[in-house]
Amino acid sequence: MTKHTTLTTRHRAALAAGAHLQRKDGGDVLDTLSQKFASHADTVAAELKSVRNELAGTKEHVLEMQQKAARVGSHDLRPQTWGQQFIEAKGLADFAQETARPGRYRLELKDVTSSPTSGGAMGQPFRDEVATLARRRLTIRDLLPVVAVSSNSVEWPSMTSRPGAAATVAEGALKPQSDMTLELRNVNTQVIAHWVPASRQILDDAPQLRDLIDTELRHGLALVEEAQLLAGDGVAPNLHGLIPQATAFADPSAGAIVPTNLIDQIALAILQSALADFPATGVIVHPSDWTRMRMAKDADGKYLLGAPGADVPPVLFGLPVVASQAIAAGSYLVGDFQQAATLYDRWTPRVEISTEHADFFTRNLVAILAEQRIALAVRKPAALITGTFA
């Protein structure tokens, strides 16, 4: 009975609300709501249609970009003809729409060939990347600690004699006195540089060529740097290199160990460095000498350093081997490179462009200069051992 009463009450409330919602003019509010929902649905449908149209346009734009990227990826780098430049100009479409008044449209075109009287070749050749010369792998700098400096010279105190009078002392006895001698040494920074002339127009029109020149000029600096680091004779403007200041090899075994191959010779040099209290950190040899070591065989004809098909890292007695053409064939350098010397960078390699050379300005030419400024200090010559293979 209670439940029936509750439902009846709810029904009455709903009927009363419906009567209250009746408009004064006798219209039904439900009709009004239906009309509003229909109008809203039309608005939503129109907006969806607009979004679909924009999406279609976006797809067409993306497709066009993909096609252009595909053409670039296939190395379609042929220059545009004058006609192509004209019809693809950005302002041409806007000018075409302004038909109500007379006017003039001007477009600056670039020559498509080197001849000013030519309208362009009928067929353009395929332009591939520049075939560069071989570049040597450079690693001597990586063996040394490198410090940036802001002065034109570097100086350091070098110990020429150490305090060595220490001894056991009896109770009440006078303690021995030691002496230590220091000597102030210095090196000057030296410039390594070279330059090439180039056309200003070429550099503006061919960024790839500009990057190539920068790279090749820097590589040229690195080649000279590596040769100077190893063998510079110290006569200005040359650096004083590692080998001229290294300690000459002297058999540390006094003949007790007879080397039978190049590998044994390196082992004795490593021993000499260790006995000088400078445990070696690396070995530098010529590529031909490393190949001789790599081809060394035992009495059974087996390769000492591993089979030809094996991936054998350039390592001897746990030390990295640097094969560099900057050292003479038949020579070697072994030592503790981290303690032996320091490379100072006054100017890191940089490339500059100028029109100030001679009459370059009036000829639309530029001079591209690459240079660096460095100093090398061999602080502990005893940490380097050099010699020649028997």
Side-chain angles (χ1 to χ4, degrees):
M1 185 66 179
T2 303
K3 181 176 181 181
H4 177 72
T5 303
T6 302
L7 291 175
T8 302
T9 302
R10 290 179 179 176
H11 290 164
R12 292 175 178 174
L15 293 174
H20 177 71
L21 289 175
Q22 295 291 332
R23 297 193 317 186
K24 293 181 179 180
D25 57 359
D28 193 344
V29 71
L30 295 179
D31 293 338
T32 302
L33 291 177
S34 298
Q35 293 175 3
K36 289 185 177 181
F37 277 121
S39 176
H40 180 68
D42 293 338
T43 302
V44 172
E47 292 181 355
L48 289 177
K49 183 178 180 180
S50 176
V51 171
R52 284 196 296 268
N53 293 336
E54 292 180 0
L55 181 60
T58 302
K59 288 182 178 180
E60 292 179 359
H61 181 64
V62 171
L63 179 61
E64 181 181 357
M65 293 178 61
Q66 290 175 342
Q67 292 173 346
K68 290 182 178 179
R71 289 196 295 269
V72 174
S74 62
H75 298 280
D76 186 10
L77 303 179
R78 294 174 297 178
Q80 290 183 322
T81 64
W82 285 354
Q84 289 174 327
Q85 294 180 46
F86 186 81
I87 64 176
E88 294 183 9
K90 295 182 179 179
L92 181 60
D94 296 335
F95 176 77
Q97 294 177 1
E98 297 179 2
T99 58
R101 58 182 178 85
R104 178 180 299 177
Y105 179 74
R106 180 178 180 180
L107 173 66
E108 182 179 354
L109 300 174
K110 293 184 177 181
D111 288 341
V112 293
T113 68
S114 58
S115 174
T117 60
S118 172
M122 295 299 294
Q124 295 295 333
F126 174 76
R127 176 65 60 85
D128 205 345
E129 296 181 356
V130 178
T132 61
L133 299 177
R135 295 178 185 173
R136 183 189 305 173
R137 183 182 179 186
L138 306 169
T139 51
I140 303 302
R141 169 182 276 263
D142 297 335
L143 294 174
L144 303 173
V146 180
V147 178
V149 296
S150 57
S151 60
N152 297 332
S153 63
V154 178
E155 63 179 20
W156 71 97
S158 178
M159 182 184 298
T160 57
S161 66
R162 71 189 328 159
T168 57
V169 180
E171 185 176 354
L174 184 65
K175 276 74 173 178
Q177 176 183 343
S178 286
D179 295 322
M180 180 176 63
T181 305
L182 297 177
E183 179 181 349
L184 190 62
R185 297 181 178 179
N186 73 294
V187 293
N188 295 323
T189 58
Q190 303 295 346
V191 175
I192 303 175
H194 62 156
W195 70 278
V196 296
S199 165
R200 182 188 298 177
Q201 292 92 332
I202 286 295
L203 295 182
D204 291 339
D205 297 340
Q208 181 186 13
L209 178 60
R210 184 170 184 169
D211 293 341
L212 174 66
I213 293 175
D214 290 353
T215 302
E216 288 297 322
L217 287 177
R218 288 190 178 96
H219 183 70
L221 297 180
L223 285 175
V224 176
E225 178 192 85
E226 182 146 302
Q228 287 286 316
L229 291 178
L230 276 180
D233 59 13
V235 178
N238 294 326
L239 301 179
H240 202 182
L242 301 175
I243 293 178
Q245 300 186 74
T247 302
F249 173 77
D251 185 2
S253 70
I257 302 175
V258 180
T260 60
N261 53 42
L262 277 65
I263 299 176
D264 293 343
Q265 184 73 46
I266 295 297
L268 290 176
I270 293 174
L271 174 60
Q272 180 179 347
S273 182
L275 294 178
D277 294 326
F278 292 109
T281 59
V283 179
I284 302 176
V285 295
H286 192 272
S288 61
D289 294 321
W290 170 246
T291 300
R292 292 168 61 189
M293 298 179 199
R294 184 66 182 86
M295 295 176 62
K297 305 178 184 66
D298 59 16
D300 297 330
K302 295 181 179 179
Y303 287 87
L304 297 178
L305 298 181
D311 184 12
V312 179
V315 174
L316 288 177
F317 305 103
L319 303 180
V321 176
V322 175
S324 172
Q325 296 185 54
I327 190 172
S331 301
Y332 60 85
L333 181 64
V334 175
D336 184 351
F337 294 95
Q338 288 293 312
Q339 293 197 57
T342 302
L343 175 60
Y344 298 96
D345 276 334
R346 177 66 176 90
W347 296 342
T348 55
R350 58 188 182 184
V351 177
E352 297 176 333
I353 299 179
S354 173
T355 61
E356 298 176 358
H357 180 76
D359 58 349
F360 274 20
F361 177 76
T362 57
R363 297 169 59 191
N364 275 338
L365 296 176
V366 294
I368 307 177
L369 170 68
E371 61 181 339
Q372 66 180 121
R373 195 171 186 179
I374 60 175
L376 176 67
V378 179
R379 299 158 57 88
K380 300 177 181 179
L384 298 173
I385 308 298
T386 186
T388 56
F389 294 109

